[in-house]
Amino acid sequence: MRRAGHIRIRIGPSRHECKPRPVSRPATGIIIGQFYVWQSSQKNKNARISLRRLRGYDLMALAFFCTAVVFCFVELFGTRMRAGRFLVWRLIIDCLICAVFWSAGLAVTGASSVGSAVSILLLVAVRVGSRIKVALLGEPVVFSDIVAGLNLLKAPQFYVFALPGYLKLGFLLALPVGAALLVRAVNLALRPHLEGLAVFLLSVVALALIPEEKLAPIPDLRADIVRMGLPATLFLYWRRWLGQADMPPLGDRKHGDADHGQRPSTEIVVVVQCESFADPTRLPIPAVDRAMRLPGLERARRDADFQGDLLVSGFGAYTMRTEYGLLFGRSEEELGFRRYDPFLTAVRDRTYALPYRLGRAGYRTFFVHPHALSFYRRDRLMPWIGFSQVAGREAFPHVASPAMPYPEDRAVAAYLSHLVETATEPSFFYAVTMENHGPWPGRSARESLASYLGHLANSDRMLDELRTALDKTGRSYLLVFFGDHRPSIRGMLSPGEERGTPYVVLRSGGDCRRAQPCEQALTPAELHRLILDLVMGRMA
C-alpha cells in the first residue's frame, strides 16, 4: 500500500514469489506405476535366470536319462534275462556304470554329448569284443582282459588279426572323425566340468555300496553273465578280485617249510612249456592232417614215467594260466577270482613258486623265453620268485620272416643243451617257447593250419634233441614237456569242451615201471606237485 510521503515496507513473502506447487494425483500415480514396473521387471529378470538354470539342469538330466535308456537297451539286447532280484540289480549296476562314464566325459570335456557317446561306444566295443573272443577262445571278456589289452601296444599282431576287416576299416575311419568331433564339442565353461565331477563322485560312491559278495559269491562266469549281464559281471568280478585275501606264505603253514635243507635227488631238471603244442590226432581237423605223426612225442610217451593229457583251462591263449599252475602249484579253485590272470598277483605267492622252493633245496635256477620279457612282467616276476638267471629275446638272435616270425624251438633246444652241458651243480631250467605262436600266415584256414603243423613238427624235433642232449650228460635228469594250450585258427579250429594238451615226464633210466598207471590226466597244479615229489625223492 502506498501513501503520500510514506513508503510501507512489507515483511514476509511476496505474493509474486514462486512457491512449490503441490503434486497432483495423476503425477503421483505415474511415479508409483513406474516403480512397480521396475520392480516387476527385476522379478521377471530373476525368474528368467532361474528358469534358464532350471532348463539347463532339466536338459542335463534328460541327456543322462536318454543315455541310460540306450545303454541298458544295448546291454540287454540279444541276451538271455532272468526275472527277479538279479534283473533289478543288473539294471541298477548298468545305470551306475553308465553314469560313471557319462559323467567322466562331461567332467573332461564339459559336453554331455561326449559323455553319452563315450558310454554307448564303450559298451558296444566291449560287447563286440566279447563276441569275437567267445568265437576264437570260447570265453567272454573278463576284467583282467583290460590289463592284458595294454599289450596291444607292445605286440599288436597278437590281437589285430582277430578283428574282421570291416571292423579294422571302421576303426581307422572313426579315429580322425571322432577326434574332430571331440575338439568341436569341448566346452570351456567351468560349470559343466564341475557338475560332471560331482556326478562322477556320486556314481563311484553308489557303486562302492553294491553288495558284490552276495551277487557274485563264487566265480561262475557263464552263469553270472546270464544273470547279471556283461558290464555288471565285469564290475563285480573286479571288486571280488580286489577284495580277495592272499594265501599265507608257505613256510607259515602248519606243516612248515618242508623244502629247506632237503638234498636234491635229481641233478638236472628241465621243464619245457611248448607254445600251442597239441597232438594232431586229437584235433578236429581234416583226416589227412590228423594222420600227421609226431615221432618224438610217440617215443617220449613210450619211455615216460608219466604221460597223458594236461587239463588246461584256456584255448588259443592264456599261456599265463598254465604257466602259473606249473610254477606255483595252486589250482584255479584255490585262486578264486584271481584265476583269470594269476600273474597280476603272482608276486604275492613267491613262497609257492617252484624256483623258490628248488633254490632253497640247493638248485641253480634258470628261466628261458625267446621273446620280450616285459610281457606279463616276467622281467620283474621271474627274478623275484627265485630264478637266479633269466634269458630273454637278446639271447636268441633272429631275423623275423613271414614263415618264421619268432625264434625257432630248435634254437631253444640248442641253448638249453649248452646250459645243461656246462652245468656243474644241480640245476633247474624252465623254458617257454615261442615259435608256434599265432597268428599263422595263410590266405585260407587250410593254409594257416599247414603253417601250424609245420611249426608243430619243429617242436617235436625239439623234444627229441633235448632227450639226446640230456642222455649224453650221463647225469640223473628229469624232463617235463607239455603244451600250454591248443591253437585257435579261424575257420578250422574253434573252442570246444575238450582242451587237453599232451605232457610227458621222463627220468634218466625211467621206463614206466611204477606201480601207478603211467597215463593219467593232470591239471597244471597237479603236475607241479608231481615234479616236486620226483625231484625231492618223495616218490621211489
Side-chain angles (χ1 to χ4, degrees), residues 64-65 67-77 79-100 123 206-207 210 215 224-233 235-236:
F64 171 70
F65 176 77
T67 304
V69 169
V70 174
F71 187 95
C72 292
F73 174 79
V74 172
E75 194 277 310
L76 295 171
F77 182 76
T79 62
R80 292 179 293 170
M81 292 180 290
R82 293 182 179 178
R85 66 185 183 95
F86 288 109
L87 179 59
V88 176
W89 278 114
R90 176 175 181 171
L91 294 175
I92 291 174
I93 297 175
D94 283 350
C95 289
L96 290 176
I97 292 174
C98 177
V100 167
L123 175 62
L207 280 174
I210 297 294
L215 297 176
D224 285 333
I225 286 182
V226 172
R227 290 187 309 158
M228 302 297 299
L230 184 58
T233 301
F235 168 74
L236 292 172

Side-chain angles (χ1 to χ4, degrees), residues 270 272 413 416-417 462-470 479 481:
V270 179
V272 178
L416 287 174
S417 300
M462 173 193 188
L463 174 57
D464 250 351
E465 292 170 3
L466 281 175
R467 291 189 64 191
T468 301
L470 288 168
L479 173 62
F481 191 95

Side-chain angles (χ1 to χ4, degrees), residues 107-153:
V108 172
T109 64
S112 61
S113 58
V114 174
S116 301
V118 167
S119 304
I120 303 303
L121 291 178
L122 279 177
L123 175 62
V124 170
V126 169
R127 286 210 60 182
V128 171
S130 186
R131 291 179 65 89
I132 294 173
K133 188 184 171 194
V134 169
L136 289 176
L137 307 179
E139 182 179 295
V141 167
V142 292
F143 69 93
S144 58
D145 291 330
I146 300 173
V147 179
L150 298 177
N151 291 325
L152 176 64
L153 302 176

Side-chain angles (χ1 to χ4, degrees), residues 303-316:
D303 300 335
D305 281 70
F306 295 88
Q307 59 93 13
D309 281 346
L310 188 64
L311 305 178
V312 301
S313 62
F315 179 91

Side-chain angles (χ1 to χ4, degrees), residues 315-328:
F315 179 91
Y318 292 120
T319 295
M320 72 285 193
R321 295 180 185 174
T322 307
E323 188 172 337
Y324 179 92
L326 259 294
L327 285 175
F328 293 87

